[in-house]
Amino acid sequence: MALSIQQRGSVFLVTVVCLLVVGICAPFSGHDLQRAMQIAIGACAVLYGLSIVPVGQLLDRPTALGLILIIVLGLVSSMLAHQPLWALAEMALFVSCGSIAVAFALLRRQGGEPLDRALVMVVVLLCLIKSIQYLYAGTLVFISAERALDPDLLLSGFSNKRFYGQFQTFTLPLLALPLLIPVISRPLKGAVFALLCVWWMIAIAGGTRGTWLGMCVAAGVLAVLGASGRRWLGWQLAAMFGGLLLYWLVFAVVADYLGVEVSKSASDRLTTSLSGRGPIWWQAWHMIVECPWLGFGPMHFADIANEIAAHPHQAILQWASEWGVPSALCVVALAWRGGWATFSVLRERALSNTRADLLRLCLFAALVGALVQSMVDGVMVMPNSQVWLALVVGWLMALHVWKNPGTAALPLAWAAWKVLSVLAVGLLVFIAARDVPHIKQAQQQYLGTHVDLLQPRFWAQGVIAR
């Protein structure tokens, strides 16, 4: 018996939640597992998209034309690249993220406001699990005979603490939503606020400056978005100070009392150093100067080996050096256009306290924070961050209020998108099936001939230069 549209949506949502829980919360998780998780979510999104007809307008004509231009330029750049298959793999990731965003937009359109509650529950669940893991790991250190504590070792499920910070940049704004909804009971708000304080403590202890920067800019933007934005800012400031208090109590008072020496203090991260980004930014700039129109090819920053990273930790430089300056300008224009459209809706509905409008506010804060962090970090590269970026964009697309609603998607355009999505996910599945059985061996071989450091890009060992 064929499943109804609601049942298909439920199956898709449950599958995605299970994949997210495994990819983020499993102690053995890391970059490669999260990439596999992303590919699986992309495949589920394509299957879900194939099974339903789009409801209402998701994109306007200028945005659709801009995306077509980016894809065409990317295909040309990939065909001219040194390693076309890896370049096409990067393009496939871009299309796959688009499929995930479209699937979440269609899911929200079909399911309505109950899906908003489901999203918040998923965010609370993930943050709660990660907080329990963090506090449990810290407790084990304090009750053991060890007399040294490295806060970085308390962060589990991610290959690098900056990737953990990127996840927090997406979830810190969303975790404040229950605090903004008037009908939520005080005990429940108190529990969520306590969780938000712990989540801030972990963000402070983790020392990811990109997260701090992204949240600061998001706070500044929301401060001018009316009463709801300022209430969001007030809750975040209160939780941040609560997190600072918890950090001081745990890593100063309790640690001193038990005679545990804490290394890598958060205050040590209050610097303006680039942490090695200068050389890779210069490498990206030289690539732009050498090939300004079509770039070296998607993912091809990783085709020029260096001792620091397989991506430049700066989204605009990365896109311009790999896809070309025209494509980068198009991406920036589309991002600005979409952000301004959401900003305009938020200003017009600044006095609204409906759940959908408050969720739009929190999603916009998460998007602003992530985009700001992408200027100094690999938000556009890491698999978990790509999935959350697609989720935020897709949900904002579903919630967007069109001033001049257009017609539904054209059948020919929708069919072309389905074909492109299937091809993209098919390529990603092929690469995963080819590489995963030998991935540990390839990593050991790389570590044996290079510095003892993996440089993540597609896989944890992301350097594709031969």
Side-chain angles (χ1 to χ4, degrees):
M1 182 181 294
L3 297 177
S4 67
I5 293 178
Q6 287 77 12
Q7 289 173 326
R8 295 171 199 163
S10 299
V11 171
F12 172 63
L13 180 62
V14 171
T15 304
V16 169
V17 171
C18 291
L19 290 170
L20 285 175
V21 171
V22 172
I24 296 172
C25 301
F28 52 84
S29 182
H31 184 93
D32 293 331
L33 179 61
Q34 289 174 357
R35 182 67 74 193
M37 171 204 74
Q38 179 190 17
I39 294 172
I41 292 176
C44 294
V46 170
L47 291 174
Y48 178 66
L50 291 174
S51 67
I52 63 175
V53 178
V55 178
Q57 184 177 7
L58 292 178
L59 301 174
D60 58 6
R61 185 177 296 274
T63 303
L65 292 176
L67 288 173
I68 292 172
L69 178 60
I70 292 170
I71 291 172
V72 171
L73 289 173
L75 285 172
V76 176
S77 178
S78 298
M79 292 298 100
L80 299 176
H82 178 224
Q83 299 192 59
L85 183 60
W86 278 120
L88 290 173
E90 184 84 339
M91 275 208 65
L93 284 176
F94 174 71
V95 175
S96 174
C97 288
S99 299
I100 295 172
V102 169
F104 279 123
L106 296 176
L107 179 69
R108 172 55 177 82
R109 287 277 179 87
Q110 296 285 354
E113 191 171 289
L115 267 298
D116 295 341
R117 291 192 288 269
L119 173 62
V120 177
M121 289 177 60
V122 170
V123 171
V124 171
L125 173 66
L126 291 174
C127 295
L128 179 62
I129 294 174
K130 297 306 296 180
S131 297
I132 292 173
Q133 288 178 336
Y134 188 90
L135 296 174
Y136 176 72
T139 302
L140 289 181
V141 173
F142 283 131
I143 64 177
S144 68
E146 296 182 28
R147 288 296 173 260
L149 170 61
D150 182 354
D152 291 354
L153 300 180
L154 305 181
L155 302 171
S156 63
F158 291 83
S159 305
N160 189 295
K161 67 178 183 178
R162 288 194 301 273
F163 310 159
Y164 198 117
Q166 293 169 18
F167 173 60
Q168 291 194 287
T169 304
F170 284 106
T171 50
L172 278 168
L174 294 172
L175 199 54
L177 177 61
L179 304 174
L180 302 177
I181 299 174
V183 297
I184 299 292
S185 65
R186 285 189 176 183
L188 184 56
K189 283 189 176 182
V192 173
F193 180 72
L195 177 60
L196 185 58
C197 289
V198 174
W199 205 227
W200 262 110
M201 182 197 72
I202 297 173
I204 293 167
T208 303
R209 289 175 294 169
T211 296
W212 303 346
L213 176 63
M215 288 300 295
C216 285
V217 175
V221 173
L222 261 65
V224 301
L225 283 175
S228 296
R230 286 188 285 274
R231 282 197 298 127
W232 179 93
L233 176 58
W235 281 112
Q236 291 290 354
L237 286 174
M240 183 191 70
F241 285 117
L244 276 171
L245 178 61
L246 288 174
Y247 177 83
W248 175 72
L249 289 173
V250 173
F251 294 100
V253 176
V254 175
D256 288 345
Y257 178 77
L258 296 176
V260 177
E261 181 181 354
V262 179
S263 61
K264 298 181 181 177
S265 171
S267 60
D268 297 337
R269 298 289 294 167
L270 294 175
T271 67
T272 57
S273 68
L274 293 177
S275 301
R277 285 167 175 75
I280 53 178
W281 286 359
W282 274 113
Q283 177 178 320
W285 175 253
H286 290 308
M287 292 170 65
I288 294 170
V289 172
E290 187 172 345
C291 297
W293 296 108
L294 291 171
F296 274 61
M299 206 188 291
H300 272 59
F301 187 94
D303 193 42
I304 304 174
N306 63 70
E307 296 182 355
I308 301 175
H311 59 98
H313 290 68
Q314 214 284 346
I316 297 176
L317 285 176
Q318 177 182 321
W319 203 281
S321 64
E322 296 184 341
W323 297 61
V325 173
S327 180
L329 291 175
C330 192
V331 169
V332 171
L334 289 182
W336 175 264
R337 194 167 181 272
W340 183 255
T342 302
F343 183 84
S344 300
V345 173
L346 287 169
R347 282 195 307 179
E348 292 173 2
R349 306 172 76 91
L351 299 178
S352 173
N353 281 324
T354 64
R355 192 184 299 265
D357 288 322
L358 293 174
L359 177 58
R360 183 187 294 108
L361 184 82
C362 295
L363 287 167
F364 185 66
L367 180 62
V368 171
L371 292 179
V372 170
Q373 187 172 1
S374 74
M375 297 297 102
V376 294
D377 213 343
V379 175
M380 303 297 177
V381 173
M382 298 305 120
N384 184 66
S385 300
Q386 290 177 337
V387 170
W388 278 91
L389 183 63
L391 185 153
V392 169
V393 171
W395 224 274
L396 283 172
M397 288 166 57
L399 294 175
H400 187 67
V401 179
W402 293 92
K403 292 183 178 179
N404 300 306
T407 59
L410 297 176
L412 183 60
W414 182 241
W417 173 251
K418 286 183 177 180
V419 172
L420 184 62
S421 300
V422 170
L423 292 175
V425 170
L427 177 59
L428 294 176
V429 171
F430 164 76
I431 292 175
R434 182 196 66 181
D435 292 350
V436 167
H438 315 288
I439 204 163
K440 293 298 181 183
Q441 178 183 353
Q443 289 179 4
Q444 292 302 320
Q445 182 180 359
Y446 179 82
L447 292 173
T449 56
H450 297 77
V451 294
D452 190 19
L453 175 68
L454 293 176
Q455 300 176 356
R457 187 63 193 259
F458 191 92
W459 300 118
Q461 194 305 92
V463 178
I464 61 174
R466 296 291 183 267

